Structures are given as structure tokens and as C-alpha cells.
């Protein structure tokens, strides 16, 4: 736990997904939250900024290709993206069914 600030972002996202002890998980999520804050702070704030690609270098600098389910939920919450309604979740689950172990 003393070296969490040195863990690569992609590894950190992975570690929040695996079953680590409860004492380690809050520290991992806190580190992941710092990365998410960097990402959100670096994203363009206007439509023209998105069109011009202004500030998108942060996406390369962070070196992460996905945030995992924990990081994705955190980022969507911070970006104030509402959770889908139950009907949507039901349709999505039917479209992408999972096996008993959680795999596709």
C-alpha cells in the first residue's frame, strides 16, 4: 500500500476489479479517482474544443485504455451522467447475457 502512487493507471484499474482485501480497496479507488479527476479536468469544456481536439493529449499522457467497471462508474458519476433506468438495464442484460461465473 505504500507504493500505490507508483502503480500504472491501467494496473490500478485492473486491481480495483479483482478481489483484494477490503483494507486495500479504498486506497486503490482513491488513486483511481485521482486519475479520473485528471482525465475530466483535461477534457475539452466546449463543443469547439472537442472538434479541435484541444486538450486531448491528457488521454495519451495517462496511458489507460479502460477504467474497469469501478473506474467507469466513478467517472460517469463525476461527469454527472445519470444511471440508466431499469428497463434499459434489463434490455442490455438480455442482449449481452452473462454466464453463472459472470463471463459472456
Amino acid at each position: 500500500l505504500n507504493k500505490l502512487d507508483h502503480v500504472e493507471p491501467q494496473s490500478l484499474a485492473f486491481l480495483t476489479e479483482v478481489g483484494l482485501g477490503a483494507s486495500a480497496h479504498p486506497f486503490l479507488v482513491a488513486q483511481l479517482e485521482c486519475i479520473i479527476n485528471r482525465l475530466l479536468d483535461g477534457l475539452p469544456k466546449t463543443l469547439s474544443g472537442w472538434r479541435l481536439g484541444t486538450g486531448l493529449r491528457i488521454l495519451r499522457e495517462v496511458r489507460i485504455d479502460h477504467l474497469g467497471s469501478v473506474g467507469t462508474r466513478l467517472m460517469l458519476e463525476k461527469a454527472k451522467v445519470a444511471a440508466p433506468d431499469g428497463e434499459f438495464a434489463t434490455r442490455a442484460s438480455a442482449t449481452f447475457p452473462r454466464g453463472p461465473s459472470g463471463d459472456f
Side-chain angles (χ1 to χ4, degrees):
L1 292 178
N2 294 336
K3 297 183 181 187
L4 279 180
D5 54 336
H6 300 295
V7 175
E8 288 291 321
Q10 192 64 63
S11 299
L12 191 58
F14 173 77
L15 289 172
T16 61
E17 299 296 315
V18 297
L20 294 176
S23 63
H25 196 266
F27 298 106
L28 296 171
V29 172
Q31 282 298 109
L32 189 57
E33 192 167 5
C34 289
I35 292 165
I36 289 167
N37 288 337
R38 277 185 61 205
L39 287 170
L40 288 173
D41 289 345
L43 292 177
K45 306 295 185 242
T46 65
L47 184 57
S48 63
W50 277 102
R51 286 183 177 143
L52 296 172
T54 307
L56 292 178
R57 72 179 187 285
I58 188 70
L59 298 176
R60 283 189 299 273
E61 291 172 3
V62 173
R63 296 187 326 258
I64 190 168
D65 64 5
H66 71 87
L67 297 168
S69 63
V70 174
T72 299
R73 274 190 227 111
L74 275 172
M75 188 159 187
L76 291 173
E77 286 173 14
K78 288 186 165 292
K80 296 181 175 48
V81 175
D85 63 30
E87 184 180 317
F88 175 85
T90 300
R91 286 193 323 269
S93 294
T95 303
F96 301 102
R98 293 183 178 266
S101 64
D103 59 337
F104 291 100

